[in-house]
Amino acid sequence: MDYRAATAYGRSKLATTIFGIELDRRLRAAGTPIVSALAHPGLTRTNLTPRAWEHRGRFGRLIASAGLLATQPVAQGALPQLHAATEPGVRGGQFFGPSGLWETRGKVTEARLSQEAADPAVGTRLWAAAADLTGVNYL
């Protein structure tokens, strides 16, 4: 199998989102007052950007530097998570992220879920696979 870091990273983010949405569905079905709200930081200035490119020589360092210029500060990137966790009136299944430039930076807003992330059948399959792989079954 041909491993690609960017593809694996994107799939892990999608799986986390699907799992969070499915968790909220199951919490509601169980009648609990607990909600699962989700958030993403957009493009945030962490060590992840340069690390993703540093092994690609001079061109990689150039891309990493440009990437750092395009990112927002960590404090700004943390706001969607804080909003999801603490804002009164947040409902289960809501997804928050930055409002500007393809959800990469800016003020917090409700973000768009991909069709796949919102699909209950995909959530059910992921939940079952996680239960099978971990041996942990709840909700």
mmCIF file of all heavy atoms in Angstrom, residues 3 8 21 26 28 67 69 78 109 115 126:
data_model
loop_
_atom_site.group_PDB
_atom_site.id
_atom_site.type_symbol
_atom_site.label_atom_id
_atom_site.label_comp_id
_atom_site.label_asym_id
_atom_site.label_seq_id
_atom_site.Cartn_x
_atom_site.Cartn_y
_atom_site.Cartn_z
ATOM 1 N N TYR A 3 1.603 4.665 1.211
ATOM 2 C CA TYR A 3 1.240 5.572 2.300
ATOM 3 C C TYR A 3 1.517 7.007 1.898
ATOM 4 O O TYR A 3 2.587 7.333 1.402
ATOM 5 C CB TYR A 3 2.027 5.227 3.570
ATOM 6 C CG TYR A 3 1.776 6.206 4.686
ATOM 7 C CD1 TYR A 3 0.620 6.100 5.459
ATOM 8 C CD2 TYR A 3 2.659 7.238 4.951
ATOM 9 C CE1 TYR A 3 0.369 7.004 6.483
ATOM 10 C CE2 TYR A 3 2.422 8.142 5.976
ATOM 11 C CZ TYR A 3 1.263 8.022 6.731
ATOM 12 O OH TYR A 3 1.010 8.905 7.730
ATOM 13 N N ALA A 8 -3.525 10.340 4.797
ATOM 14 C CA ALA A 8 -3.802 9.719 6.098
ATOM 15 C C ALA A 8 -4.291 10.759 7.104
ATOM 16 O O ALA A 8 -5.234 10.509 7.874
ATOM 17 C CB ALA A 8 -2.552 9.015 6.624
ATOM 18 N N ILE A 21 -20.092 12.928 15.239
ATOM 19 C CA ILE A 21 -21.495 13.057 14.820
ATOM 20 C C ILE A 21 -22.273 11.801 15.216
ATOM 21 O O ILE A 21 -23.391 11.883 15.732
ATOM 22 C CB ILE A 21 -21.589 13.302 13.299
ATOM 23 C CG1 ILE A 21 -20.953 14.649 12.929
ATOM 24 C CG2 ILE A 21 -23.024 13.210 12.802
ATOM 25 C CD1 ILE A 21 -21.627 15.861 13.537
ATOM 26 N N ARG A 26 -26.084 8.783 18.928
ATOM 27 C CA ARG A 26 -26.292 7.724 19.925
ATOM 28 C C ARG A 26 -26.646 8.302 21.295
ATOM 29 O O ARG A 26 -27.452 7.720 22.028
ATOM 30 C CB ARG A 26 -25.064 6.828 19.998
ATOM 31 C CG ARG A 26 -24.943 5.969 18.749
ATOM 32 C CD ARG A 26 -23.619 5.248 18.642
ATOM 33 N NE ARG A 26 -23.574 4.482 17.416
ATOM 34 C CZ ARG A 26 -23.822 3.182 17.328
ATOM 35 N NH1 ARG A 26 -24.107 2.477 18.406
ATOM 36 N NH2 ARG A 26 -23.779 2.576 16.167
ATOM 37 N N ARG A 28 -28.314 11.082 21.795
ATOM 38 C CA ARG A 28 -29.721 11.498 21.698
ATOM 39 C C ARG A 28 -30.652 10.298 21.744
ATOM 40 O O ARG A 28 -31.679 10.332 22.413
ATOM 41 C CB ARG A 28 -29.948 12.316 20.429
ATOM 42 C CG ARG A 28 -29.480 13.760 20.614
ATOM 43 C CD ARG A 28 -29.838 14.646 19.458
ATOM 44 N NE ARG A 28 -28.828 14.427 18.408
ATOM 45 C CZ ARG A 28 -29.086 14.447 17.116
ATOM 46 N NH1 ARG A 28 -30.300 14.654 16.679
ATOM 47 N NH2 ARG A 28 -28.125 14.265 16.245
ATOM 48 N N GLY A 67 3.548 28.511 4.239
ATOM 49 C CA GLY A 67 2.426 27.980 5.005
ATOM 50 C C GLY A 67 2.273 28.668 6.345
ATOM 51 O O GLY A 67 1.160 28.953 6.783
ATOM 52 N N LEU A 69 3.039 31.694 6.997
ATOM 53 C CA LEU A 69 2.493 33.033 6.744
ATOM 54 C C LEU A 69 0.985 32.991 6.523
ATOM 55 O O LEU A 69 0.281 33.957 6.819
ATOM 56 C CB LEU A 69 3.179 33.660 5.526
ATOM 57 C CG LEU A 69 4.657 33.998 5.689
ATOM 58 C CD1 LEU A 69 5.238 34.479 4.360
ATOM 59 C CD2 LEU A 69 4.862 35.031 6.787
ATOM 60 N N ALA A 78 -7.664 28.072 18.518
ATOM 61 C CA ALA A 78 -8.286 27.383 19.649
ATOM 62 C C ALA A 78 -9.736 27.824 19.880
ATOM 63 O O ALA A 78 -10.501 27.121 20.539
ATOM 64 C CB ALA A 78 -7.478 27.622 20.922
ATOM 65 N N THR A 109 -17.577 30.318 13.373
ATOM 66 C CA THR A 109 -18.911 30.164 12.807
ATOM 67 C C THR A 109 -19.245 28.674 12.763
ATOM 68 O O THR A 109 -18.378 27.835 13.013
ATOM 69 C CB THR A 109 -18.970 30.761 11.379
ATOM 70 O OG1 THR A 109 -20.330 30.829 10.958
ATOM 71 C CG2 THR A 109 -18.171 29.932 10.387
ATOM 72 N N GLN A 115 -20.672 15.594 3.122
ATOM 73 C CA GLN A 115 -21.769 14.635 2.955
ATOM 74 C C GLN A 115 -21.446 13.330 3.669
ATOM 75 O O GLN A 115 -22.292 12.731 4.323
ATOM 76 C CB GLN A 115 -21.992 14.355 1.467
ATOM 77 C CG GLN A 115 -23.318 14.809 0.967
ATOM 78 C CD GLN A 115 -23.493 14.432 -0.497
ATOM 79 O OE1 GLN A 115 -22.552 14.372 -1.277
ATOM 80 N NE2 GLN A 115 -24.721 14.184 -0.864
ATOM 81 N N LEU A 126 -18.556 3.076 10.867
ATOM 82 C CA LEU A 126 -17.336 3.435 11.599
ATOM 83 C C LEU A 126 -17.449 3.019 13.061
ATOM 84 O O LEU A 126 -16.507 2.479 13.639
ATOM 85 C CB LEU A 126 -17.052 4.932 11.496
ATOM 86 C CG LEU A 126 -15.825 5.414 12.268
ATOM 87 C CD1 LEU A 126 -14.554 4.748 11.745
ATOM 88 C CD2 LEU A 126 -15.705 6.920 12.218
#
